[in-house]
Amino acid sequence: MERKNGRKAQPEGRPDGRQADQLRRYRINRFFQKHPAGSVLIEMGNTKVICAATIEERVPNFLRGTGEGWLTAEYSLLPSATNTRTPREAARGRQTGRTQEIQRLIGRSLRSVMDMKALGERTIIIDCDVIQADGGTRTASITGAFIALVEACNSFYDEKKPFPVKDFLAAISVGISPAGEPLLDLCYEEDSAGVVDMNVVMTGEGQFVEVQGTGEGRPFSREEMNRLLELAEKGIDELISYEKDVLGNVLVWRVGRE
Amino acid sequence: MERKNGRKAQPEGRPDGRQADQLRRYRINRFFQKHPAGSVLIEMGNTKVICAATIEERVPNFLRGTGEGWLTAEYSLLPSATNTRTPREAARGRQTGRTQEIQRLIGRSLRSVMDMKALGERTIIIDCDVIQADGGTRTASITGAFIALVEACNSFYDEKKPFPVKDFLAAISVGISPAGEPLLDLCYEEDSAGVVDMNVVMTGEGQFVEVQGTGEGRPFSREEMNRLLELAEKGIDELISYEKDVLGNVLVWRVGRE
Amino acid sequence: MERKNGRKAQPEGRPDGRQADQLRRYRINRFFQKHPAGSVLIEMGNTKVICAATIEERVPNFLRGTGEGWLTAEYSLLPSATNTRTPREAARGRQTGRTQEIQRLIGRSLRSVMDMKALGERTIIIDCDVIQADGGTRTASITGAFIALVEACNSFYDEKKPFPVKDFLAAISVGISPAGEPLLDLCYEEDSAGVVDMNVVMTGEGQFVEVQGTGEGRPFSREEMNRLLELAEKGIDELISYEKDVLGNVLVWRVGRE
Amino acid sequence: MERKNGRKAQPEGRPDGRQADQLRRYRINRFFQKHPAGSVLIEMGNTKVICAATIEERVPNFLRGTGEGWLTAEYSLLPSATNTRTPREAARGRQTGRTQEIQRLIGRSLRSVMDMKALGERTIIIDCDVIQADGGTRTASITGAFIALVEACNSFYDEKKPFPVKDFLAAISVGISPAGEPLLDLCYEEDSAGVVDMNVVMTGEGQFVEVQGTGEGRPFSREEMNRLLELAEKGIDELISYEKDVLGNVLVWRVGRE
Amino acid sequence: MERKNGRKAQPEGRPDGRQADQLRRYRINRFFQKHPAGSVLIEMGNTKVICAATIEERVPNFLRGTGEGWLTAEYSLLPSATNTRTPREAARGRQTGRTQEIQRLIGRSLRSVMDMKALGERTIIIDCDVIQADGGTRTASITGAFIALVEACNSFYDEKKPFPVKDFLAAISVGISPAGEPLLDLCYEEDSAGVVDMNVVMTGEGQFVEVQGTGEGRPFSREEMNRLLELAEKGIDELISYEKDVLGNVLVWRVGRE
Amino acid sequence: MERKNGRKAQPEGRPDGRQADQLRRYRINRFFQKHPAGSVLIEMGNTKVICAATIEERVPNFLRGTGEGWLTAEYSLLPSATNTRTPREAARGRQTGRTQEIQRLIGRSLRSVMDMKALGERTIIIDCDVIQADGGTRTASITGAFIALVEACNSFYDEKKPFPVKDFLAAISVGISPAGEPLLDLCYEEDSAGVVDMNVVMTGEGQFVEVQGTGEGRPFSREEMNRLLELAEKGIDELISYEKDVLGNVLVWRVGRE
């Protein structure tokens, strides 16, 4: 009953009726494709991303002979994934700045929890292909790719060595609505309308790997930033719990094993 | 027991135990994505393609003011769709010749059953994105895209005018095994090993729209060609029956309506 | 007189007065350019193509050390070759889908009569440059390139080994006119107007290497397809006879020699 | 004296002997080039960037007829600007992901203090060309471009309307050294060695426009983040004071005028 | 015997036995292709270039509404035209610097004898496609394109207006051999060996339009330059006489008509 | 007094009041950037170019194992360098023909005074980046790059071997004004208006390395050409004197040392 009253006081609410600090319905399906070493379909509300991890038995030139491996990431939207069809980058002949920025973010985030010595002279290629977009595609990509990465590392894992993935990792978006309310896990409608937008990537240890906040509509205060970081921490905490459910005991036990 | 004997007579068999004239297990899921006017996921065995149809309210320059519409198609493989990862065309900066050949085939095939006057000054863009490849991706794309196209045309259909799709359409691959046996609906393993490969596109009226036969391993005779066309006719006949089941009475009734 | 009557019954006739099953005037000039290992100018009516074969003493990576060679083909139209000037692909920065499709067809067709072991670790590059286009440029390219290929193989041929070209090869287009008449060797005007278009590549043994039929204007029946294949066989038979005249006894004798 | 002792306790110090919370020597030369509407050379230590603002009397299509303007930014390194020569992007034929990410950041940051209505249907193009790079080129670009932007807006400013620049803006990098010490304004050597790197853009009002923190070497805690933001605030505060000196009373008075 | 003595005096001789001031055998075939408004095949020794002029009834944006026309030129080598096969620019995706430099030279040279007002709002596109290269392809292109240009202008010429081509134009290469001898009209062998290379374009009035001299092997003196210019004048004089023979009285009379 | 009268007779004068045979104010600042082996800022009036020489310890494939080095040059305009902003080539994805022509000229000119054996298996990359353009950017680039080249060669010079730079080198533009007056060192305004434009590169020995003359507005006579070459010789003579001042005795003594 109070809730309903509360709704009256904030007549805008959230388009899908969520609480301000509530994640969308999420799900990760493992073993989604048969060819890659790791493959998942992650859904965060209507956002759906196929995340695959492929292993190649070679490294970039600058790592040859060092005994260390590498991880790189690519990101793409199916043209049909968005509200208005997105022109195909392969037809245009180049990737947009947005695409490049996102794939750099995904790669950097996942590398932050990798032990490249334990990986050995291999390259892991992460492919995040968005098949339906409704906000938060880059953070869903990171969370999904983390699971695919663990699967891929497990495929060649030798128990006598440290596991190449050192810690859990998940990501979420947070933002401030035009009415000034901090929100967790923005859908597309909220993201477009929002005045501040922040993507946060954190580890299982509760530390930050990436914080990217932008005052699209107006600058934001230190206090607002603190509030957004708290929301993000809450959401990531829940996602990492779910990751552990999805991976199961054996894999959870391997992550971070030295 | 008999089976085993049968196997001896055809010692190669098919990798998945099918008869020479048997299709793989197929399925079409409609309404797969929420944004496009038409969207399906088609599965032919392990081959899975997302086929989407988007409507744009404009036409290429050469059609402006003619009252006629256009249809164009794009095709892509997710990098993770193939046995060995396929480099992303957007990263390479250009589409391969194979991709261009396939998307030209898809567009030409679908245009052959369109009434461009009935479409009006609109462009339909077909996107076929292969999420798992196991042979026959181009023919699965055509069959799946046909359903998405009917859905898209239905979205703006005005009952007083002819329906823009004039006839049913489906496609299948056929080929000749190294042992000389004609086979229907080749999987990747059969396609790679095959000496002759043919893609056939046919209408609901049982006529040919495209026949593309290639003697990859050796030339083929007129008689072999006839045998392949018969297999293709059988397979396409079955697929068009299934298309009618999938579309349901109302849409089946509209196709070809004048 | 009968002819004239015949004309009345088919008032459209052919633009250049040919019979339905008659090839255009054709000619192949050998030794057209001085640098390549093989070079011809082929004319089919007003269609004129320079076909050159260059030998490079290296193979693509996937063949290194196998003792086998490779053949690849490139195709281009001079901008001034067409009725309306065609924009230069080098200036646009990419080859069109049509160009890529044609050069893939030329390469595949010629490879079908090659013995790659006999070729040894060499690459033959076929260049087909159309200097005047009037329909049938891709089939003229294949026929002309075949002669250039034999010349090029002869340039390094060692009599103790099999000759790298195993059989004769020629190609022709066939199609169906708007009046429903099957026609051999379409000129541009017939090709543009035609409702069905088919390119056929055959060997000296009378077998098919490629059959690519398209119902541009309407689908076509099995019976029509048979009629088109018969026309193509007749035309190719005549072209292969001419190829033998052009090559002369010594080279004719070498083709297919084991 | 104590300070010197302190130095002993942190034997690594900073390569140029600065305090942890001290900016490098900075300087902004206005009117550096004669052609653009605004042009400055900004130096932050050995980092030197030419920042120019050009006005074009047209807007992107999506803004035509809205009465609003636009601002876009481009960034480039002279090949000779870096320690090891950087290949020229124009010769490679594409901009790197890093370049695109930086120019998106510069554009977004400057747009956050613009009143697009007051700008009117004009586009301001910001060019940041780094002629010598020693860390912090993106933040120096933003700070320098801000001055060029004010100059450019002044060139067409009509006193009866609001000034198109609403607030001051400056940017700085902060980071954490391998020894765990938070540092202000990293030079290249510190940036390469650092374990955490953060770029902060703030307004004259002391609010955040962009916060981009990355744990390159290890994740970082909430507490560390707070310490970095404090350092950044201190540095930006000093830079904005300097911007006011550089612009002089008349222009300072115009910024934010409504 | 005398020859041998002669050889001693000029120990190098010319590879084809020409005098130092003698042109190679030259020939221009008009009406070489049927589609363009003007088309010639020019041969200078073994160098053979197809030069075509196409008329488009539109002008670049900067000339719209001015009543003036434009001329632009494109140049390409068939891959098979050169001693060692030249990679196809369309396949590489970009034109080389050499190609761009040559087509800029051809366009500039031809524009220098055009009356753009008399041309009216039309664009003439010159295509120079080298089918066999043996030195001097850029100068042969200019000479051949001049004839194609006159043909094209004649195709729309209205006798009451000035003829758009104001003067005759031809081009030739000259150079200095390693033995220090100035030579006219270098073949490929001479061009490669030469220490100085100069391309000269002149009008029927005997004035210079372009002089491009390069000391590839060593710098050259003022005196040598004078000697080269004299050789060029002699060669161009002969070529312009031939151009008049080729064009015939009517067209000769039109060139320069006001 | 006479001068003043003279001015009346030629009322156009030069925009900056110079004599026809007078260079603009010029200056070369050495050690302009800290990273490259050689770096200067050259100013010719308002034209300002950063010229840098970088040494790489490798050579192109065709020189490997020959003991010889190579020199290559790149040229670019900052977008903000020109009167109207020049679109960035890296954003367009390709270099213009003008850029390629200029960088080929710079490379060829500098190579003409290099002893590639003395250089050894190294590549020198020259970067000429124009930060302000007011005519004569290509000739200023050559003159400035010469100084950077000497600096770079000095950085690895071993006194027992010949110095890799054999002679001095400088470049200047000359042209003919609409009034028919030959002018030295054209500024942008003169260059745009001029009817003839010539770039001349000469050695310290007073010999020509490049002469590129173009009759943009009208053809020019042999006599005019001679007058232009005299002006160029005078200007280059003065520039080479200045180069010697700038380099100082030690380096002057090394140039040409064997």
Side-chain angles (χ1 to χ4, degrees), chain D residues 34 74 85 88 127 132, chain F residues 34 85 88 127 132:
Chain D
K34 72 174 196 170
E74 298 191 0
R85 183 179 180 275
R88 196 174 289 271
D127 285 293
Q132 194 162 276
Chain F
K34 72 174 195 170
R85 184 179 180 275
R88 197 174 289 269
D127 285 293
Q132 193 162 276

Side-chain angles (χ1 to χ4, degrees), chain A residues 49-209:
Chain A
V49 189
I50 300 175
C51 304
T54 303
I55 301 165
E56 299 196 344
E57 296 294 330
R58 56 190 174 74
V59 286
N61 285 347
F62 70 93
L63 287 174
R64 258 181 226 161
T66 62
E68 295 191 23
W70 190 242
L71 178 146
T72 184
E74 299 192 1
Y75 167 96
S76 186
L77 288 163
L78 290 210
S80 53
T82 46
N83 200 4
T84 302
R85 183 179 180 274
T86 303
R88 196 175 289 270
E89 291 180 321
R92 288 174 76 239
R94 54 169 81 191
Q95 295 178 308
T96 62
R98 177 183 176 275
T99 291
Q100 297 205 45
E101 193 171 313
I102 292 175
Q103 56 200 19
R104 284 159 57 86
L105 170 67
I106 298 170
R108 218 161 51 221
S109 298
L110 292 170
R111 284 194 297 272
S112 78
V113 291
M114 291 291 290
D115 173 346
M116 293 302 183
K117 276 282 177 210
L119 177 57
E121 287 205 15
R122 291 181 178 94
T123 298
I124 295 185
I125 306 176
I126 298 294
D127 286 292
C128 298
D129 287 273
V130 179
I131 62 176
Q132 193 162 278
D134 187 28
T137 63
R138 80 187 69 187
T139 49
S141 294
I142 292 168
T143 306
F146 174 77
I147 301 296
L149 171 63
V150 173
E151 282 181 357
C153 288
N154 196 46
S155 72
F156 62 80
Y157 179 51
D158 166 1
E159 301 240 342
K160 285 167 228 134
K161 298 217 289 187
F163 193 73
V165 182
K166 298 182 296 184
D167 198 352
F168 287 85
L169 187 85
I172 202 68
S173 76
V174 286
I176 298 178
S177 76
E181 190 182 20
L183 300 174
L184 177 64
D185 189 17
L186 280 58
C187 67
Y188 178 72
E189 188 183 334
E190 292 171 325
D191 190 25
S192 309
V195 293
V196 176
D197 178 35
M198 188 175 289
N199 292 296
V200 181
V201 186
M202 295 181 75
T203 63
E205 293 293 314
Q207 295 212 301
F208 296 101
V209 162

Side-chain angles (χ1 to χ4, degrees), chain A residues 34 74 85 88 127 132, chain B residues 34 85 88 127 132:
Chain A
K34 73 173 194 171
E74 299 192 1
R85 183 179 180 274
R88 196 175 289 270
D127 286 292
Q132 193 162 278
Chain B
K34 71 174 196 170
R85 183 179 180 274
R88 196 175 288 270
D127 285 292
Q132 194 162 276

Side-chain angles (χ1 to χ4, degrees), chain B:
Chain B
M1 194 122 112
E2 270 169 19
R3 247 203 192 172
K4 219 173 169 180
N5 288 344
R7 293 265 152 176
K8 263 179 194 155
Q10 305 176 325
E12 74 282 358
R14 297 190 74 169
D16 49 6
R18 278 184 291 150
Q19 301 297 317
D21 65 350
Q22 192 182 343
L23 294 172
R24 290 179 283 182
R25 200 179 56 85
Y26 46 84
R27 187 169 54 183
I28 296 175
N29 291 336
R30 289 175 61 190
F31 314 118
F32 187 71
Q33 294 161 296
K34 71 174 196 170
H35 299 303
S39 170
V40 312
L41 173 69
I42 182 170
E43 301 178 49
M44 300 287 300
N46 282 316
T47 289
K48 300 182 190 185
V49 189
I50 301 175
C51 303
T54 303
I55 302 166
E56 298 196 345
E57 297 292 330
R58 55 192 176 73
V59 286
N61 285 347
F62 70 93
L63 287 175
R64 258 182 225 161
T66 62
E68 294 191 23
W70 190 241
L71 178 145
T72 184
E74 299 191 1
Y75 167 94
S76 186
L77 287 163
L78 290 211
S80 53
T82 46
N83 200 3
T84 302
R85 183 179 180 274
T86 304
R88 196 175 288 270
E89 292 180 320
R92 287 173 78 241
R94 56 170 79 191
Q95 294 178 310
T96 62
R98 177 184 176 276
T99 291
Q100 297 204 46
E101 193 171 312
I102 293 174
Q103 54 200 17
R104 283 159 57 88
L105 171 67
I106 298 170
R108 218 161 52 220
S109 298
L110 293 170
R111 284 195 296 272
S112 78
V113 290
M114 292 291 290
D115 173 345
M116 292 301 182
K117 276 281 178 213
L119 177 57
E121 288 203 15
R122 292 181 177 93
T123 298
I124 294 185
I125 306 176
I126 298 294
D127 285 292
C128 298
D129 287 274
V130 179
I131 62 177
Q132 194 162 276
D134 187 28
T137 64
R138 77 187 72 188
T139 48
S141 293
I142 291 169
T143 306
F146 174 77
I147 302 295
L149 171 62
V150 173
E151 282 181 357
C153 289
N154 197 45
S155 73
F156 62 78
Y157 179 51
D158 167 1
E159 299 238 342
K160 285 166 227 132
K161 299 215 290 187
F163 193 72
V165 182
K166 297 183 297 185
D167 198 352
F168 286 85
L169 188 85
I172 202 68
S173 76
V174 287
I176 298 178
S177 75
E181 189 182 20
L183 299 174
L184 176 65
D185 189 17
L186 280 57
C187 67
Y188 177 75
E189 189 183 333
E190 293 171 323
D191 189 25
S192 309
V195 292
V196 177
D197 178 35
M198 188 175 291
N199 292 295
V200 181
V201 186
M202 296 181 76
T203 63
E205 293 292 315
Q207 294 211 302
F208 296 101
V209 162
E210 289 277 339
V211 175
Q212 298 199 341
T214 298
E216 302 260 1
R218 62 156 171 83
F220 53 101
S221 66
R222 184 73 173 276
E223 196 182 339
E224 285 174 320
M225 183 158 186
N226 287 337
R227 184 71 188 100
L228 290 173
L229 292 176
E230 276 152 28
L231 273 180
E233 280 176 30
K234 175 175 182 300
I236 287 173
D237 202 56
E238 184 176 336
L239 286 173
I240 286 178
S241 282
Y242 179 63
E243 286 179 353
K244 290 176 180 172
D245 290 351
V246 163
L247 285 172
N249 284 343
V250 173
L251 287 180
V252 167
W253 182 79
R254 285 190 173 163
V255 170
R257 215 193 148 202
E258 293 186 15

Side-chain angles (χ1 to χ4, degrees), chain C residues 79-108:
Chain C
S80 53
T82 45
N83 201 3
T84 302
R85 182 179 181 275
T86 303
R88 195 175 290 270
E89 292 179 320
R92 287 174 77 242
R94 55 169 82 189
Q95 296 178 307
T96 63
R98 178 185 177 274
T99 290
Q100 296 203 47
E101 192 171 312
I102 293 174
Q103 56 200 17
R104 281 159 59 87
L105 171 67
I106 298 170
R108 218 162 50 220

Side-chain angles (χ1 to χ4, degrees), chain E residues 103-114:
Chain E
Q103 55 199 17
R104 282 160 57 89
L105 171 66
I106 298 170
R108 218 161 52 220
S109 297
L110 293 170
R111 283 195 298 271
S112 78
V113 291
M114 291 292 289

